Short mmCIF file of all heavy atoms in Angstrom, two decimals:
data_model
loop_
_atom_site.label_atom_id
_atom_site.label_comp_id
_atom_site.label_asym_id
_atom_site.label_seq_id
_atom_site.Cartn_x
_atom_site.Cartn_y
_atom_site.Cartn_z
N GLN V 84 36.77 -118.59 -61.35
CA GLN V 84 36.66 -118.49 -59.90
C GLN V 84 35.81 -117.27 -59.57
O GLN V 84 35.81 -116.27 -60.32
CB GLN V 84 38.04 -118.37 -59.25
CG GLN V 84 38.04 -118.61 -57.75
CD GLN V 84 39.44 -118.76 -57.18
OE1 GLN V 84 40.44 -118.59 -57.89
NE2 GLN V 84 39.54 -119.08 -55.90
N GLU V 85 35.07 -117.32 -58.47
CA GLU V 85 34.25 -116.19 -58.08
C GLU V 85 35.11 -115.07 -57.52
O GLU V 85 36.12 -115.31 -56.83
CB GLU V 85 33.21 -116.61 -57.04
CG GLU V 85 32.21 -115.50 -56.73
CD GLU V 85 31.09 -115.92 -55.81
OE1 GLU V 85 31.06 -117.12 -55.42
OE2 GLU V 85 30.24 -115.06 -55.47
N TYR V 86 34.71 -113.82 -57.81
CA TYR V 86 35.41 -112.64 -57.29
C TYR V 86 34.51 -111.92 -56.30
O TYR V 86 33.33 -111.63 -56.60
CB TYR V 86 35.79 -111.70 -58.43
CG TYR V 86 36.48 -110.44 -57.95
CD1 TYR V 86 37.80 -110.49 -57.51
CD2 TYR V 86 35.82 -109.22 -57.93
CE1 TYR V 86 38.44 -109.35 -57.06
CE2 TYR V 86 36.45 -108.07 -57.48
CZ TYR V 86 37.76 -108.14 -57.04
OH TYR V 86 38.39 -107.00 -56.59
N ASP V 87 35.05 -111.65 -55.12
CA ASP V 87 34.33 -110.91 -54.08
C ASP V 87 34.75 -109.45 -54.15
O ASP V 87 35.88 -109.11 -53.77
CB ASP V 87 34.66 -111.49 -52.70
CG ASP V 87 33.89 -110.81 -51.57
OD1 ASP V 87 33.41 -109.68 -51.77
OD2 ASP V 87 33.79 -111.41 -50.49
N PRO V 88 33.86 -108.56 -54.62
CA PRO V 88 34.27 -107.16 -54.79
C PRO V 88 34.47 -106.43 -53.47
O PRO V 88 35.17 -105.41 -53.43
CB PRO V 88 33.12 -106.56 -55.60
CG PRO V 88 31.94 -107.41 -55.29
CD PRO V 88 32.48 -108.79 -55.08
N VAL V 89 33.85 -106.90 -52.40
CA VAL V 89 34.02 -106.26 -51.09
C VAL V 89 35.38 -106.62 -50.51
O VAL V 89 36.14 -105.75 -50.06
CB VAL V 89 32.88 -106.66 -50.14
CG1 VAL V 89 33.11 -106.05 -48.76
CG2 VAL V 89 31.53 -106.23 -50.70
N ALA V 90 35.70 -107.90 -50.54
CA ALA V 90 37.00 -108.34 -50.03
C ALA V 90 38.13 -108.02 -51.00
O ALA V 90 39.29 -107.97 -50.61
CB ALA V 90 36.95 -109.84 -49.74
N GLY V 91 37.78 -107.83 -52.28
CA GLY V 91 38.80 -107.55 -53.28
C GLY V 91 39.70 -108.74 -53.56
O GLY V 91 40.90 -108.58 -53.76
N ARG V 92 39.10 -109.94 -53.60
CA ARG V 92 39.90 -111.13 -53.87
C ARG V 92 39.01 -112.24 -54.41
O ARG V 92 37.78 -112.18 -54.35
CB ARG V 92 40.61 -111.61 -52.61
CG ARG V 92 39.68 -112.04 -51.49
CD ARG V 92 40.45 -112.43 -50.25
NE ARG V 92 39.58 -112.85 -49.16
CZ ARG V 92 39.14 -114.09 -48.99
NH1 ARG V 92 39.49 -115.06 -49.85
NH2 ARG V 92 38.36 -114.40 -47.97
N LEU V 93 39.66 -113.27 -54.94
CA LEU V 93 38.96 -114.45 -55.42
C LEU V 93 38.57 -115.33 -54.24
O LEU V 93 39.32 -115.45 -53.27
CB LEU V 93 39.85 -115.23 -56.39
CG LEU V 93 40.24 -114.48 -57.67
CD1 LEU V 93 41.28 -115.28 -58.45
CD2 LEU V 93 39.02 -114.21 -58.53
N ILE V 94 37.40 -115.96 -54.35
CA ILE V 94 36.91 -116.82 -53.28
C ILE V 94 36.36 -118.11 -53.88
O ILE V 94 36.06 -118.19 -55.07
CB ILE V 94 35.80 -116.12 -52.45
CG1 ILE V 94 34.62 -115.75 -53.36
CG2 ILE V 94 36.35 -114.88 -51.74
CD1 ILE V 94 33.40 -115.22 -52.59
N GLY V 95 36.21 -119.11 -53.03
CA GLY V 95 35.54 -120.34 -53.45
C GLY V 95 36.38 -121.20 -54.38
O GLY V 95 37.58 -120.97 -54.59
N PRO V 96 35.73 -122.23 -54.96
CA PRO V 96 36.46 -123.19 -55.79
C PRO V 96 36.99 -122.56 -57.08
O PRO V 96 36.49 -121.54 -57.56
CB PRO V 96 35.42 -124.26 -56.09
CG PRO V 96 34.10 -123.58 -55.92
CD PRO V 96 34.31 -122.57 -54.84
N TYR V 97 37.97 -123.24 -57.61
CA TYR V 97 38.70 -122.80 -58.80
C TYR V 97 38.68 -123.98 -59.77
O TYR V 97 38.97 -125.11 -59.38
CB TYR V 97 40.11 -122.44 -58.35
CG TYR V 97 41.20 -122.38 -59.38
CD1 TYR V 97 41.59 -121.16 -59.91
CD2 TYR V 97 41.92 -123.51 -59.75
CE1 TYR V 97 42.64 -121.07 -60.80
CE2 TYR V 97 42.97 -123.44 -60.64
CZ TYR V 97 43.33 -122.22 -61.16
OH TYR V 97 44.38 -122.13 -62.04
N LYS V 98 38.28 -123.72 -61.04
CA LYS V 98 38.11 -124.85 -61.95
C LYS V 98 38.50 -124.48 -63.36
O LYS V 98 38.22 -123.38 -63.84
CB LYS V 98 36.65 -125.32 -61.95
CG LYS V 98 36.38 -126.55 -62.82
CD LYS V 98 34.92 -126.94 -62.81
CE LYS V 98 34.65 -128.15 -63.71
NZ LYS V 98 33.22 -128.51 -63.74
N ASN V 99 39.13 -125.44 -64.03
CA ASN V 99 39.39 -125.32 -65.47
C ASN V 99 38.10 -125.72 -66.18
O ASN V 99 37.68 -126.88 -66.14
CB ASN V 99 40.53 -126.24 -65.88
CG ASN V 99 40.97 -126.01 -67.31
OD1 ASN V 99 40.17 -125.65 -68.17
ND2 ASN V 99 42.25 -126.23 -67.58
N ILE V 100 37.46 -124.73 -66.84
CA ILE V 100 36.13 -124.99 -67.41
C ILE V 100 36.17 -125.28 -68.91
O ILE V 100 35.16 -125.72 -69.47
CB ILE V 100 35.18 -123.82 -67.15
CG1 ILE V 100 35.71 -122.52 -67.77
CG2 ILE V 100 34.92 -123.65 -65.66
CD1 ILE V 100 34.71 -121.37 -67.75
N PHE V 101 37.33 -125.06 -69.57
CA PHE V 101 37.35 -125.25 -71.01
C PHE V 101 38.80 -125.43 -71.46
O PHE V 101 39.65 -124.58 -71.20
CB PHE V 101 36.74 -124.02 -71.71
CG PHE V 101 36.61 -124.16 -73.21
CD1 PHE V 101 35.78 -125.11 -73.77
CD2 PHE V 101 37.30 -123.30 -74.06
CE1 PHE V 101 35.65 -125.23 -75.15
CE2 PHE V 101 37.17 -123.39 -75.43
CZ PHE V 101 36.34 -124.37 -75.99
N ASN V 102 39.05 -126.56 -72.11
CA ASN V 102 40.40 -126.86 -72.57
C ASN V 102 40.66 -126.40 -74.00
O ASN V 102 41.79 -126.51 -74.48
CB ASN V 102 40.69 -128.36 -72.45
CG ASN V 102 40.89 -128.78 -71.01
OD1 ASN V 102 41.61 -128.11 -70.27
ND2 ASN V 102 40.25 -129.87 -70.61
N GLY V 103 39.63 -125.92 -74.69
CA GLY V 103 39.83 -125.48 -76.05
C GLY V 103 39.80 -126.61 -77.05
O GLY V 103 39.48 -127.76 -76.73
N THR V 104 40.15 -126.28 -78.29
CA THR V 104 40.13 -127.25 -79.39
C THR V 104 41.56 -127.62 -79.77
O THR V 104 42.53 -127.16 -79.17
CB THR V 104 39.41 -126.66 -80.61
OG1 THR V 104 40.26 -125.66 -81.22
CG2 THR V 104 38.10 -126.01 -80.22
N SER V 105 41.66 -128.43 -80.79
CA SER V 105 42.99 -128.86 -81.25
C SER V 105 43.82 -127.72 -81.80
O SER V 105 45.03 -127.85 -81.96
CB SER V 105 42.83 -129.95 -82.32
OG SER V 105 42.08 -129.45 -83.43
N ARG V 106 43.18 -126.59 -82.10
CA ARG V 106 43.94 -125.44 -82.60
C ARG V 106 44.88 -124.89 -81.54
O ARG V 106 45.92 -124.33 -81.84
CB ARG V 106 42.99 -124.37 -83.11
CG ARG V 106 43.68 -123.26 -83.87
CD ARG V 106 42.72 -122.45 -84.70
NE ARG V 106 42.19 -123.18 -85.84
CZ ARG V 106 41.63 -122.63 -86.91
NH1 ARG V 106 41.55 -121.32 -87.00
NH2 ARG V 106 41.15 -123.38 -87.89
N GLY V 107 44.51 -125.04 -80.27
CA GLY V 107 45.39 -124.69 -79.17
C GLY V 107 45.50 -123.20 -78.90
O GLY V 107 44.84 -122.38 -79.52
N ILE V 108 46.36 -122.87 -77.93
CA ILE V 108 46.61 -121.50 -77.48
C ILE V 108 45.26 -120.83 -77.17
O ILE V 108 44.91 -119.78 -77.69
CB ILE V 108 47.44 -120.68 -78.48
CG1 ILE V 108 48.64 -121.50 -78.97
CG2 ILE V 108 47.92 -119.37 -77.85
CD1 ILE V 108 49.55 -120.75 -79.92
N THR V 109 44.50 -121.48 -76.29
CA THR V 109 43.17 -120.99 -75.92
C THR V 109 43.32 -119.85 -74.92
O THR V 109 43.92 -120.01 -73.86
CB THR V 109 42.34 -122.13 -75.32
OG1 THR V 109 42.34 -123.24 -76.24
CG2 THR V 109 40.93 -121.69 -75.05
N GLU V 110 42.74 -118.69 -75.25
CA GLU V 110 42.95 -117.48 -74.45
C GLU V 110 41.78 -116.53 -74.70
O GLU V 110 40.78 -116.89 -75.32
CB GLU V 110 44.28 -116.82 -74.84
CG GLU V 110 44.38 -116.50 -76.32
CD GLU V 110 45.76 -116.05 -76.76
OE1 GLU V 110 46.60 -115.76 -75.90
OE2 GLU V 110 45.99 -115.97 -77.98
N GLY V 111 41.89 -115.30 -74.18
CA GLY V 111 40.91 -114.25 -74.45
C GLY V 111 39.48 -114.59 -74.10
O GLY V 111 38.57 -114.33 -74.89
N PRO V 112 39.20 -115.15 -72.91
CA PRO V 112 37.83 -115.60 -72.61
C PRO V 112 36.88 -114.46 -72.26
O PRO V 112 37.25 -113.49 -71.60
CB PRO V 112 38.03 -116.52 -71.40
CG PRO V 112 39.21 -115.91 -70.69
CD PRO V 112 40.13 -115.42 -71.79
N HIS V 113 35.64 -114.59 -72.72
CA HIS V 113 34.53 -113.73 -72.29
C HIS V 113 33.32 -114.62 -72.09
O HIS V 113 33.04 -115.50 -72.91
CB HIS V 113 34.20 -112.67 -73.34
CG HIS V 113 35.28 -111.65 -73.54
ND1 HIS V 113 35.55 -110.66 -72.63
CD2 HIS V 113 36.16 -111.49 -74.56
CE1 HIS V 113 36.55 -109.91 -73.08
NE2 HIS V 113 36.93 -110.40 -74.25
N ILE V 114 32.57 -114.37 -70.99
CA ILE V 114 31.35 -115.12 -70.70
C ILE V 114 30.14 -114.21 -70.89
O ILE V 114 30.16 -113.03 -70.52
CB ILE V 114 31.37 -115.68 -69.26
CG1 ILE V 114 32.46 -116.76 -69.13
CG2 ILE V 114 30.02 -116.28 -68.88
CD1 ILE V 114 32.58 -117.34 -67.73
N TYR V 115 29.06 -114.77 -71.46
CA TYR V 115 27.78 -114.08 -71.66
C TYR V 115 26.65 -115.01 -71.21
O TYR V 115 26.83 -116.23 -71.17
CB TYR V 115 27.56 -113.71 -73.13
CG TYR V 115 28.79 -113.16 -73.82
CD1 TYR V 115 29.69 -114.02 -74.45
CD2 TYR V 115 29.07 -111.80 -73.81
CE1 TYR V 115 30.82 -113.53 -75.07
CE2 TYR V 115 30.20 -111.30 -74.42
CZ TYR V 115 31.08 -112.18 -75.05
OH TYR V 115 32.21 -111.70 -75.66
N LYS V 116 25.49 -114.43 -70.91
CA LYS V 116 24.34 -115.24 -70.52
C LYS V 116 23.16 -114.86 -71.38
O LYS V 116 22.85 -113.67 -71.55
CB LYS V 116 24.02 -115.02 -69.04
CG LYS V 116 23.05 -116.06 -68.46
CD LYS V 116 22.91 -115.85 -66.95
CE LYS V 116 22.05 -116.94 -66.32
NZ LYS V 116 21.93 -116.74 -64.85
#
């Protein structure tokens, strides 16, 4: 979800973008470009 640093809150749509693999317990996400 997008974060608005001025308002100090989450804004806009919210989506599950990755369900992980069969190994499960998917956590610790980091995004890079």
Side-chain angles (χ1 to χ4, degrees):
Q84 195 169 5
E85 187 174 358
Y86 178 74
D87 183 339
V89 177
R92 63 183 180 88
L93 298 172
I94 59 172
Y97 161 98
K98 183 181 179 182
N99 188 328
I100 60 171
F101 185 64
N102 286 314
T104 73
S105 59
R106 190 163 291 199
I108 314 183
T109 306
E110 56 189 348
H113 294 286
I114 293 178
Y115 317 89
K116 193 173 185 180

